[in-house]
Structure formats: C-alpha cells, structure tokens
Amino acid sequence: MIVADPLLDQITAALEPHGLVPRGGFVFGPGEAAPCLRHDAAARSIVLAGHFGSSIWPHFTRWRQAHSGQPDLLDAWSKAVLTQVADKLGGQAVFPSDKPYLPFQQWAKRAESLSASPLGLLIHPEYGLWQAFRGALLFDRAIGFPAVPLNNHPCDSCIDKPCLHACPVDAFDGTGFAVGRCRGHLAVPEGALCRDGGCLARLACPIGREHAYTPEQQRFHMAAFASA
Ligand code: B12
C-alpha cells in the first residue's frame, strides 16, 4: 500500500486560501518526457492544481480589483499564486497558458479520474465539465500518490448526449470544435445568450450541474475566449 506523501497535505494547505485544490499527480516514468526544472534536470513528480466549480472566484475577484490594467488576468493571478506556493514548498510551477503548450489534459487524465467528453473538455464523474486547471507543481523527487479511483466514463451512459445538440451554431460534432463558428456567433447580437449566460453546450451536460460556474464567472470565461 502506498502511504500518501506528507507533501500532499502541505500543498493542500497552501492552495486552500486561494480556493484551489491539488488535482492529483503522478511520478514520471524513466525515459518519459517530463518538463525541465530550473537546473535542467527533468522533473520527477507533478501535482496538478485547479478548482472544482467556482471555488476560486471570490479569491480571484478580490485580487483583480487591485490588478485591473493587466491583460490575461486569470493567468496572471494563477502565476502569482502558484509561483508563491511552489517557492514555499521547494517546487516549480508551470501553467496551461505557457507556450509551447504543455500536455495538461494528458497529465490530468493520469492524475485524476477524468475522461474526454464529446466537447473535448475533460469530464469529472462528480463535477462534470465545471472544473479546470490553473497550473501544476513540479518536484525533483518521487512523491507517493494515493491510487486514482477507477470510474466509468460518465458519457458512456448518456444516451442523448444533449451537449452535442445545444450549440446554436453546431460548433461540436463529437470529434472537434469549430472554434471560428463559435467565436463568430459570440460577436453578433444573436450570440447574447451564450455571451451572457455561458456556453450552452457545456450547460446542457447533466453531470455536476449543481457545480456550474456562477453567471459572472461564465461571462468572464466567454469574454476571454471571444477575445483571445
Ligand atoms: C489552445 C487551447 C484552446 C483552444 C483550442 C482547443 C482545442 N480543442 O484544440 C481554444 C481557444 C479554442 C480553447 C477553448 C477552450 N478551452 Co482550452 N485550452 C487550450 C490550451 C491552452 C492548449 C491545448 C493544447 O494544445 N495542449 C497541448 C497538447 C500537447 O496537450 P494535450 O493534453 O495533449 O491536449 C490535447 C488533447 O488532450 C486533446 N483532447 C483531449 N481530449 C479530447 C477530446 C476530443 C473529442 C478532442 C477532439 C480532443 C481532445 O485536445 C488537446 C489539444 O490538442 C489548453 C491548456 C493546455 N496547456 O493543454 C486549454 C484547455 C484544454 N482549455 C480549457 C478550457 C476550459 C477551454 C474553454 C472551455 C474555455 C472557455 N473560455 O470557456 C474553451 C472551449 C474548449 C472546447 N470545447 O474545446 C481547459 C480544459 C479543462 C478540462 N476540463 O478539460 C484547458 C486544459 C485549460 C485549463 N486552464 O484548464 N482552448
């Protein structure tokens, strides 16, 4: 039996004041592509950091009142918070917005019980589509992680797949995302419902609806996506 590493409790405690949680992690295998740490050595372990539902929102909202002129505010907040946590715990932070893009979704599928939904977003058995990653913490030693519980893919038993029928411009066909069509709709008056209330395809998913982001957070993400 693997005993959970005490570092995981320290990470939990350091993330909690920001509405963030550790979203599992794993040890990179020998010879596996792992991001480099500052001194060019490959990372040994990774812990993903993110949120379920709108847990970050009050914390981010307070922070952004003091940082309003900056672009990409949520990325900036994530970097400010997670860099500080990593420094405190002897790790190094990396971010989903860093280029070249790091394989966050592949990492997440190893770290937690997540599966790819027909929308391309990963789906969680309890929180559905209402969760995301704000960064990951890399460490130079092997951390002992609890086993990832095995769960059935929530979309396998979803016969009607309402997510694939809710988009007003059919941006999802289960194999890809027509980004231009979605953005085009968000730019015209007919797109007001999506702009103001959130992505209708994401909202149509029956899993974890009670964890849907607050209307203000949904508007923020839609505006960020529309202007990216
Ligand atoms: C570029 C990008 C986009 C682009 C293009 C996305 C695409 N589908 O090609 C645009 C701007 C369109 C976009 C939009 C959104 N994105 Co985006 N995006 C990214 C980003 C920054 C890089 C993706 C990438 O190229 N990774 C590099 C490759 C090597 O990593 P990867 O793990 O192998 O990822 C690929 C595969 O996993 C694959 N994939 C995984 N599952 C499935 C399932 C299907 C059916 C398909 C086709 C593909 C697919 O898609 C990834 C890209 O190729 C990631 C963060 C990151 N670093 O990964 C976020 C990320 C994927 N996005 C995210 C989100 C939340 C969104 C939005 C909902 C944001 C919003 N404003 O509401 C929208 C809608 C997304 C949608 N329905 O597809 C989250 C997803 C969280 C989750 N629960 O899975 C991520 C992880 C960022 C985060 N901070 O958590 N995104």
Side-chain angles (χ1 to χ4, degrees):
M1 193 182 83
I2 298 175
V3 177
D5 199 299
L7 177 59
L8 295 177
D9 289 335
Q10 294 174 330
I11 295 174
T12 305
L15 293 179
E16 196 269 338
H18 310 287
L20 289 163
V21 285
R23 304 268 323 256
F26 58 90
V27 178
F28 289 101
E32 193 183 337
C36 278
L37 296 167
R38 261 175 224 112
H39 306 298
D40 271 356
R44 283 287 285 133
S45 303
I46 181 166
V47 178
L48 278 87
H51 59 92
F52 293 117
S54 282
S55 61
I56 57 167
W57 203 247
H59 306 278
F60 169 62
T61 303
R62 257 196 311 279
W63 181 90
R64 82 169 155 162
Q65 279 158 3
H67 296 83
S68 52
Q70 289 190 33
D72 302 323
L73 274 178
L74 189 54
D75 289 335
W77 175 80
S78 307
K79 289 188 177 185
V81 166
L82 291 175
T83 303
Q84 188 196 36
V85 169
D87 288 349
K88 183 174 159 189
L89 298 176
Q92 192 175 314
V94 287
F95 301 93
S97 56
D98 286 347
K99 287 185 181 166
Y101 291 136
L102 292 162
F104 264 80
Q105 288 186 309
Q106 290 179 40
W107 288 341
K109 280 194 271 189
R110 281 174 75 176
E112 251 185 0
S113 188
L114 295 164
S115 330
S117 73
L119 301 184
L121 300 171
L122 299 179
I123 186 161
H124 184 279
E126 181 181 349
Y127 294 91
L129 303 173
W130 304 106
Q131 36 80 30
F133 308 95
R134 302 283 17 123
L137 304 172
L138 305 174
F139 295 92
D140 62 3
R141 68 171 179 89
I143 296 175
F145 291 98
V148 178
L150 285 177
N151 279 298
N152 291 332
H153 191 326
C155 306
D156 285 349
S157 53
C158 180
I159 307 302
D160 294 338
K161 307 238 180 313
C163 62
L164 291 180
H165 311 293
C167 173
V169 291
D170 290 327
F172 301 99
D173 62 4
T175 59
F177 174 38
V179 184
R181 218 179 305 153
C182 173
R183 283 213 176 101
H185 186 65
L186 291 174
V188 296
E190 294 75 22
L193 203 55
C194 311
R195 266 198 317 272
D196 299 340
C199 171
L200 299 182
R202 201 172 181 181
L203 282 163
C205 174
I207 308 292
R209 262 192 189 139
E210 64 279 24
H211 302 292
Y213 297 160
T214 60
E216 191 197 355
Q217 184 173 357
Q218 300 216 29
R219 272 196 298 281
F220 175 90
H221 289 305
M222 292 309 280
F225 166 70
S227 66

